[in-house]
Structures are given as structure tokens and as C-alpha cells.
């Protein structure tokens, strides 16, 4: 956000902060959320790169299209286990997954 906009909002009585401050998240909670979102993004990228529909992926991982949609959207109900198993289904290596997680904070 540019300085002028920030000043206008603050002058109007708005408080400017981060999502972490607003939700009261600890650094650990923030890191966990960022990792899950990075894994979700990697799943969608892999699915699109392999020209698969969400339905195709769901069949491959023995799940439902709605579960795949939730995974790709970063829904909190998508477990870390399912996200990682799905990436492994695409042929991702442990190193690939580690890189996704490593780059999640950047």
C-alpha cells in the first residue's frame, strides 16, 4: 500500500495492520498456513501442467472433485497428509516438496 493511501485511511480512523495481527496468529501458525497454501498452489500447478481436470485428479487420488477444489483453494479442512500424498501422486519427490515448503515464506 502506498504511503498516501495509508495516511488517508489512518486519518479516516482505520487501523492498518497485517493479517497475522488481525487474527492474532503466532509466527508458527503463520508459517503453517503459508506452507499449506504453498502445497495447495503446487497441486493446482501440477494438475494444470498435466492437463488434468479436478475430476481426473480426484479419481487418481481416490477422492472427490469437491475435495480437490478445497485442496487447491487452501481450505483448512484439507489435511497436510492429503496435500503431500497428492503431490507424491504427481511424481513429486521429497526434495520437490521440501522446495515448495522452503519457498513458502518468500
Amino acid at each position: 500500500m502506498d504511503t498516501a493511501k495509508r495516511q488517508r485511511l489512518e486519518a479516516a480512523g482505520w487501523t492498518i495492520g497485517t493479517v497475522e495481527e488481525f487474527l492474532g496468529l503466532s509466527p508458527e501458525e503463520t508459517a503453517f498456513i503459508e506452507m499449506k497454501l504453498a502445497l495447495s498452489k503446487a497441486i493446482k500447478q501440477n494438475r494444470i501442467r498435466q492437463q488434468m481436470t479436478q475430476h481426473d485428479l480426484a479419481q487418481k487420488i481416490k477422492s472427490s472433485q469437491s475435495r480437490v477444489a478445497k485442496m487447491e483453494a487452501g481450505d483448512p479442512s484439507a489435511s497436510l497428509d492429503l496435500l503431500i500424498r497428492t503431490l507424491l501422486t504427481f511424481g513429486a519427490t521429497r526434495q520437490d516438496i521440501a522446495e515448495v515448503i522452503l519457498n513458502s515464506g518468500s
Side-chain angles (χ1 to χ4, degrees):
M1 174 180 318
D2 66 28
T3 307
K5 183 174 184 177
R6 182 183 193 102
Q7 289 172 346
R8 284 193 314 273
L9 289 170
E10 288 174 339
W14 292 94
T15 302
I16 309 298
T18 65
V19 172
E20 293 83 3
E21 293 168 338
F22 180 73
L23 295 175
L25 298 175
S26 69
E28 295 81 12
E29 290 168 321
T30 300
F32 184 71
I33 291 167
E34 287 174 350
M35 286 189 308
K36 283 186 75 174
L37 289 174
L39 293 169
S40 295
K41 183 178 177 182
I43 288 170
K44 185 172 185 175
Q45 289 171 339
N46 274 284
R47 179 181 63 77
I48 290 169
R49 188 177 316 116
Q50 293 188 19
Q51 299 179 337
M52 296 175 75
T53 65
Q54 288 181 342
H55 184 276
D56 294 337
L57 177 56
Q59 287 183 321
K60 190 169 186 173
I61 63 171
K62 296 177 179 52
S63 189
S64 66
Q65 178 275 324
S66 62
R67 173 61 50 200
V68 171
K70 286 180 178 184
M71 285 191 303
E72 290 183 357
D75 189 288
S77 69
S79 70
L80 194 54
D81 175 64
L82 182 58
L83 297 172
I84 291 173
R85 283 189 299 117
T86 301
L87 286 170
L88 291 171
T89 299
F90 281 120
T93 64
R94 288 181 284 181
Q95 182 65 36
D96 296 332
I97 294 169
E99 286 177 22
V100 168
I101 292 171
L102 241 166
N103 294 325
S104 66
S106 45

